[in-house]
Amino acid sequence: MWGALLRSGVRGTGGLRSMSSGGPPWSQVVSEAEKIVGYPTSFMSLRCLLSDELSNIAMQVRKLVGTKHPLLDTARQRSLAEITELIHTAFLVHRGIVNVGELKSCDGPLKDMQFGNKMAVLSGDFLLANACTSLAQLQNTKVVELISSAIGDLVQGIYYENSKSSEENCLTDDIGISRWKEQVFLSHSALLAKSCQAAMELAKHSTEIQDMAFQYGKHMSMSHKLHSDLQPFVKESSSDTMAFSLNSAPAILHQEFLGREAWIKQIREAQGKGNIMDYKQLQEAIKAGKGVTSAIDLCRCHGNRALAALEHFPPSEARDALANIVCAVTRFP
């Protein structure tokens, strides 16, 4: 994505197709974006290392980071994408830590679970340390500041996610959609938005273009999170009920329309013996309200704002690829 955004250049004219016209699925648009960049999005992709000669060249070019060779700009863009991926992966690994106090005998031996936690902490810290080292090698103070602040945003966002209401047996937060969006920006959107902005800084584009890159990354990732939250409610096959977060966008919007007390009542009614949640019952309750349709509208709203940011870049295959990514996360059955 960052390579495609970098190649989309500076301000230009030309229109983007509307999301109502549809578009290819997510896997296809990502594949098309990879072709434009020239190699798979994961720098350490096993497939790339085993089968793509170009990847070996790219690995050598990456060694230019920190030098003044003319190829430096290309290598530094690429390095920034890898840094962002490392940071994202580090936090995913850290999220894999389990609360041993809530474990049951069927979850596995306590010693193994504790060992797994130690590995998650060490592995995540190792990835994050490597990302920070590579970040310093870019030798750009503004980029370091942007990505460092994104790491801070991630930590703050995860802290909010793990904070629970003091209400007894409460499984959902007492927040509105505005607060939900603030939290999602910190935990999901900030890293991508600031990485897109940093890519434009490395390419020496204007402050205005950098801001447009930030806006694209922010609103595209918000659309992606909303799309993910909506999947349990919009999948065509309803034979298998998917468990979903009671703090997901459709649930938060459902609570706003229904009222906090009524929503808590629906949750408690769906809890059977042993506090086993009947997600099918809750799913039907949310689908019967306005939460799902409102979340779809919000997803498309953020998608439109991402496309509006892309209008500031000239027409190109790269811009089309970025637009297709937006279309893919705003398509619903």
Side-chain angles (χ1 to χ4, degrees), residues 222 233 277 287:
M222 291 293 289
F233 305 94
M277 188 67 67
K287 290 171 70 173

Side-chain angles (χ1 to χ4, degrees), residues 69-83:
H69 193 279
L71 278 177
L72 172 62
D73 288 342
T74 300
R76 295 168 71 197
Q77 202 291 316
R78 183 58 202 179
S79 184
L80 176 61
E82 182 184 0
I83 289 168

Side-chain angles (χ1 to χ4, degrees), residues 35-78:
K35 292 177 182 177
I36 294 174
V37 175
Y39 29 68
T41 51
S42 175
F43 199 91
M44 298 304 294
S45 169
L46 182 61
R47 175 189 62 179
C48 181
L49 291 174
L50 291 177
S51 63
D52 191 355
E53 286 293 331
L54 183 61
S55 69
N56 295 322
I57 299 175
M59 290 288 287
Q60 299 303 316
V61 170
R62 183 176 177 272
K63 295 179 181 179
L64 295 174
V65 175
T67 72
K68 295 184 178 181
H69 193 279
L71 278 177
L72 172 62
D73 288 342
T74 300
R76 295 168 71 197
Q77 202 291 316
R78 183 58 202 179

Side-chain angles (χ1 to χ4, degrees), residues 5 32 48 137 140 144 177 181 209 218 234 288 292 321:
L5 188 62
E32 290 173 354
C48 181
Q137 292 174 351
N140 186 300
V144 171
I177 195 63
K181 288 196 287 187
I209 290 299
K218 171 185 176 180
V234 299
V292 174

Side-chain angles (χ1 to χ4, degrees), residues 22 83 109 113 176 178 202 211 223 233 264 279 284 297 306 320 327:
I83 289 168
M113 302 303 286
S178 296
L202 285 177
D211 182 60
S223 290
F233 305 94
I264 293 297
Y279 282 98
E284 293 303 320
D297 289 343
D320 289 342
C327 294

Side-chain angles (χ1 to χ4, degrees), residues 110-237:
L110 180 61
K111 182 185 297 185
D112 291 344
M113 302 303 286
Q114 290 174 331
F115 177 76
N117 278 355
K118 292 178 182 179
M119 290 299 298
V121 172
L122 291 173
S123 300
D125 288 350
F126 175 77
L127 292 174
L128 196 57
N130 274 273
C132 292
T133 300
S134 299
L135 184 61
Q137 292 174 351
L138 293 178
Q139 299 180 1
N140 186 300
T141 304
K142 184 174 180 181
V143 170
V144 171
E145 180 183 349
L146 281 169
I147 303 303
S148 298
S149 66
I151 294 175
D153 291 335
L154 273 169
V155 173
Q156 187 176 356
I158 293 173
Y159 172 79
Y160 284 143
E161 284 183 355
N162 293 332
S163 297
K164 299 296 182 181
S165 171
S166 59
E167 182 181 343
E168 185 179 1
N169 296 327
C170 181
L171 298 175
T172 180
D173 292 338
D174 186 11
I175 59 173
I177 195 63
S178 296
R179 185 61 174 164
W180 178 89
K181 288 196 287 187
E182 291 176 6
Q183 294 182 9
V184 168
F185 172 77
L186 292 172
S187 59
H188 291 82
S189 301
L191 179 60
L192 180 59
K194 293 182 178 180
S195 294
C196 288
Q197 181 181 353
M200 296 295 96
E201 163 65 21
L202 285 177
K204 299 180 175 61
H205 285 307
S206 67
T207 301
E208 181 185 5
I209 290 299
Q210 291 180 33
D211 182 60
M212 289 302 102
F214 175 93
Q215 294 300 325
Y216 172 81
K218 171 185 176 180
H219 293 294
M220 191 287 290
S221 57
M222 291 293 289
S223 290
H224 186 273
K225 181 62 169 67
L226 284 158
H227 184 271
S228 177
D229 281 4
L230 279 160
Q231 290 312 295
F233 305 94
V234 299
K235 278 194 172 291
E236 294 177 343
S237 176

